[in-house]
Amino acid sequence: MRALRKALTVATAALVVVAGSIVVSQPASAAAGCRVDYAVTNQWQSGFGANVQVTNLGDPVTSWDLRFSFGAGQTVSQLWNGTVTQSGAAVSVRNAGWNGSVGTNGTASFGFNGTWSGSNPAPTAFTLNGVACTGSPVTPTTTPTTSPSPTPTQSPRPTTTPTPTPTPTPTPTTGPVTGNAAQLVAGMGKGWNLGNQLEANINGVPSETAWGNPVVTGALLDRVKASGFSTVRIPVSYLSKIGSAPSYTVDAAWLDRIEEVVKLAYDRGLYVVVNMHGDGYKSVSGSWLICDASSQTAIREKYQKVWQQVASELGGYGGRLVFESMNENFDGQYGNPTQPCYSNINAYNQVFVDTVRQTGGNNASRWLLVPGWNTNIDYTTGSYGFVIPTDQYRSSAIPSNEKRLMISVHYYDPWDFAGAENGTYTQWGPNATDASKKTSWGQQDFMDAQLKKTYDAFTTKGYPVFVGEYGSIDKTAFDSSNNRYRADYARTLVATAKKYGAVTAYWDNGHNGQYGFALFDRRTATVTQQGIIDAIMGS
């Protein structure tokens, strides 16, 4: 399963491997000057991550094509926030469906993972829509388009700044959080992810609008609740918002904004799950929660300090708030878990539980959510090294026969249908009409067997399971019937999870259209995929 790619991308990202010459398309307008900031964010044996920011120094453009060449045989293996082609050393990256419009002095960014051998020098020359990026405006060779498209730009600033609906400050509860596992599962019901929002960042700087989504509003959450969802999962990145050692102080304004968004959801009667999302991705600039890094003592100290502050900031909320320790943490190499990396993930989970509990108040009894390796079901339920944390600091008011820990897994199988950004597999399930468009594995029987594993390993022992992400991308550009199978997939996943006593939360990244996961238009707070929502709610 390759859910890491999904979580990092605004789901329009695509990796296209081609042989021969680079496919060329005419840009909507030429750039009249540009600057490129190329940064290798991390590097490991044979692999590296990089962030690229393009600044348009000329007139607005409505699409962009950035070209450069590697000097030492490097290759792009995975890219997000754009589409890539590579022929030999030559690389072309085009905008995704949502970030093509870049105004004067505006920016667009993308990131990628690559491979290298011997050396990894940065490219020395770039062109944007055929114009050399020198860092200064130049006289365009063609007349640029003067009216940018309304497509949202990738900018850390929203085009408008709506004021969130004011809501009263919640009254802190004084008693312990109550509710056993069965009551929690029933209450959380069907969930939805506020994805690519508070975990969005540019060059390691978190911003809720960095990946093209507008600021979160109460109107959006009203629509989510009215559609039948009971839980909102809020992924959060901290990254550069964390200060230096030894205090590792989280930026106060960022903490306040996190609480504002939590409050918008909580005060509407929704369950809320808050996690630490992007800080453990090697491909993100400024990431630090890296399980195979050498500085594990410092990492754990930083992790402890951040969760101490977050838990204290949100400690007044009652039992409908759940904390999740981290998201899809692993060593960056898909395959069997490695040691000591898995032991370090277990250690992070233990630090998380101990830290939150010791902040006291409601945190001593609230439900806490922990994942295994990359939230992969096999690697969490099997004999690969996952250890459920001890809960020694929990409130004595919790009945001794009850747990207050739940287990996080994600589900995107088969990835060829759910996440691979191409038109090869567009149908799923028994209703598929074209066998060539349906994978040979990952159908209903496989889904049932996977979720049964979570039931046998955890639910039967009192630890409820949270399928914190699932979903499939929009491939209607290749198959007009694709949404029917996306709905079948969601319906079956939710029904199967319910059968095995698990909670679910659909992954919505806010992007509508090709390769998007969105169920709503976040700018207008309207439904865009009623059929999928109906399938979820009817399960």
Side-chain angles (χ1 to χ4, degrees):
M1 186 177 85
R2 291 170 289 175
L4 175 62
R5 179 180 177 202
K6 174 279 317 152
L8 285 173
T9 63
V10 182
T12 52
L15 176 63
V16 182
V17 181
V18 297
S21 61
I22 295 175
V23 179
V24 178
S25 62
Q26 292 297 320
S29 55
C34 47
R35 184 182 74 245
V36 174
D37 297 306
Y38 178 103
V40 174
T41 56
N42 49 81
Q43 186 167 295
W44 57 96
Q45 184 177 4
S46 77
F48 71 101
N51 279 341
V52 181
Q53 178 170 283
V54 184
T55 302
N56 176 25
L57 300 176
D59 289 330
V61 298
T62 56
S63 67
W64 50 265
D65 182 353
L66 184 75
R67 302 196 178 196
F68 58 91
S69 292
F70 285 122
Q74 303 100 313
T75 61
V76 176
S77 57
Q78 179 185 29
L79 185 138
W80 49 95
N81 296 354
T83 60
V84 63
T85 57
Q86 181 170 354
S87 178
V91 178
S92 170
V93 180
R94 294 188 194 84
N95 59 275
W98 55 271
N99 65 349
S101 238
V102 184
T104 303
N105 295 319
T107 63
S109 298
F110 61 88
F112 66 88
N113 287 335
T115 61
W116 65 284
S117 178
S119 63
N120 186 23
T124 57
F126 299 84
T127 63
L128 179 66
N129 293 358
V131 174
C133 292
T134 64
S136 301
V138 299
T139 302
T141 57
T142 59
T143 303
T145 301
T146 57
S147 300
S149 128
T151 303
T153 60
Q154 179 171 343
S155 167
R157 300 176 303 276
T159 53
T160 60
T161 308
T163 302
T165 305
T167 51
T169 301
T171 302
T173 56
T174 56
V177 172
T178 59
N180 59 28
Q183 291 168 324
L184 176 75
V185 170
M188 293 184 76
K190 288 133 184 181
W192 175 85
N193 274 273
L194 185 64
N196 285 7
Q197 199 83 64
L198 292 183
E199 87 276 25
N201 75 90
I202 293 179
N203 294 329
V205 180
S207 165
E208 68 185 284
T209 59
W211 292 347
N213 282 315
V215 295
V216 182
T217 64
L220 171 63
L221 294 169
D222 285 337
R223 180 64 62 187
V224 170
K225 182 178 181 180
S227 296
F229 292 101
S230 302
T231 295
V232 173
R233 181 173 180 256
I234 304 175
V236 180
S237 287
Y238 296 89
L239 300 169
S240 67
K241 299 294 186 182
I242 305 171
S244 58
S247 60
Y248 297 111
T249 302
V250 179
D251 178 76
W254 187 238
L255 270 181
D256 287 346
R257 181 55 184 159
I258 294 167
E259 182 175 10
E260 287 174 357
V261 176
V262 168
K263 193 156 76 75
L264 285 173
Y266 194 92
D267 287 355
R268 284 164 170 76
L270 296 162
Y271 279 76
V272 182
V273 178
V274 174
N275 76 0
M276 181 182 288
H277 204 87
D279 295 62
Y281 292 138
K282 289 183 176 180
S283 51
V284 171
S285 178
S287 61
W288 54 274
L289 191 67
I290 307 300
C291 65
D292 57 356
S294 59
S295 54
Q296 289 299 311
T297 299
I299 287 173
R300 294 178 198 183
E301 290 174 353
K302 185 173 184 177
Y303 184 67
Q304 188 273 334
K305 291 291 187 182
V306 173
W307 266 116
Q308 184 179 58
Q309 294 169 76
V310 174
S312 297
E313 178 85 3
L314 302 175
Y317 291 84
R320 284 187 286 105
L321 175 64
V322 175
F323 294 139
E324 180 182 20
S325 63
M326 55 190 151
N327 178 78
E328 295 181 355
N329 200 303
F330 72 130
D331 64 2
Q333 307 296 318
Y334 291 99
N336 289 343
T338 60
Q339 291 290 350
C341 200
Y342 211 148
S343 295
N344 291 331
I345 290 173
N346 290 330
Y348 303 157
N349 280 332
Q350 189 63 63
V351 169
F352 161 75
V353 172
D354 290 346
T355 299
V356 173
R357 291 293 189 229
Q358 289 178 303
T359 59
N362 293 337
N363 291 337
S365 55
R366 78 170 67 254
W367 282 92
L368 303 179
L369 178 60
V370 295
W373 183 277
N374 199 23
T375 61
N376 179 282
I377 289 176
D378 288 324
Y379 297 149
T380 305
T381 61
S383 300
Y384 293 92
F386 176 63
V387 176
I388 299 174
T390 61
D391 200 3
Q392 60 183 325
Y393 298 110
R394 71 183 208 161
S395 170
S396 60
I398 299 174
S400 60
N401 63 333
E402 289 185 10
K403 312 296 184 184
R404 285 297 161 90
L405 302 179
M406 58 192 311
I407 310 301
S408 175
V409 297
H410 294 173
Y411 193 91
Y412 293 101
D413 290 330
W415 182 257
D416 286 339
F417 168 77
E421 290 159 345
N422 56 57
T424 305
Y425 296 106
T426 59
Q427 299 185 13
W428 183 91
N431 296 322
T433 59
D434 186 339
S436 69
K437 294 181 178 297
K438 175 180 171 180
T439 62
S440 60
W441 73 284
Q443 302 301 310
Q444 285 175 296
D445 55 345
F446 179 85
M447 182 184 287
D448 189 279
Q450 289 298 95
L451 290 170
K452 185 178 186 300
K453 289 177 184 178
T454 69
Y455 175 81
D456 292 341
F458 304 118
T459 308
T460 59
K461 299 175 175 63
Y463 299 98
V465 171
F466 182 52
V467 185
E469 294 180 16
Y470 73 93
S472 56
I473 58 176
D474 187 337
K475 299 185 182 183
T476 53
F478 306 100
D479 182 345
S480 61
S481 66
N482 172 242
N483 281 340
R484 180 194 317 163
Y485 304 107
R486 297 176 69 203
D488 287 347
Y489 182 85
R491 178 188 299 107
T492 308
L493 186 284
V494 174
T496 307
K498 183 178 180 180
K499 170 184 174 182
Y500 290 116
V503 182
T504 57
Y506 178 89
W507 177 257
D508 186 324
N509 66 354
H511 176 65
N512 287 283
Q514 187 171 356
Y515 304 140
F517 279 95
L519 303 180
F520 303 91
D521 183 329
R522 296 188 188 177
R523 297 181 182 278
T524 60
T526 56
V527 172
T528 58
Q529 293 289 348
Q530 188 65 56
I532 297 176
I533 293 175
D534 288 345
I536 293 170
M537 297 308 155
S539 299

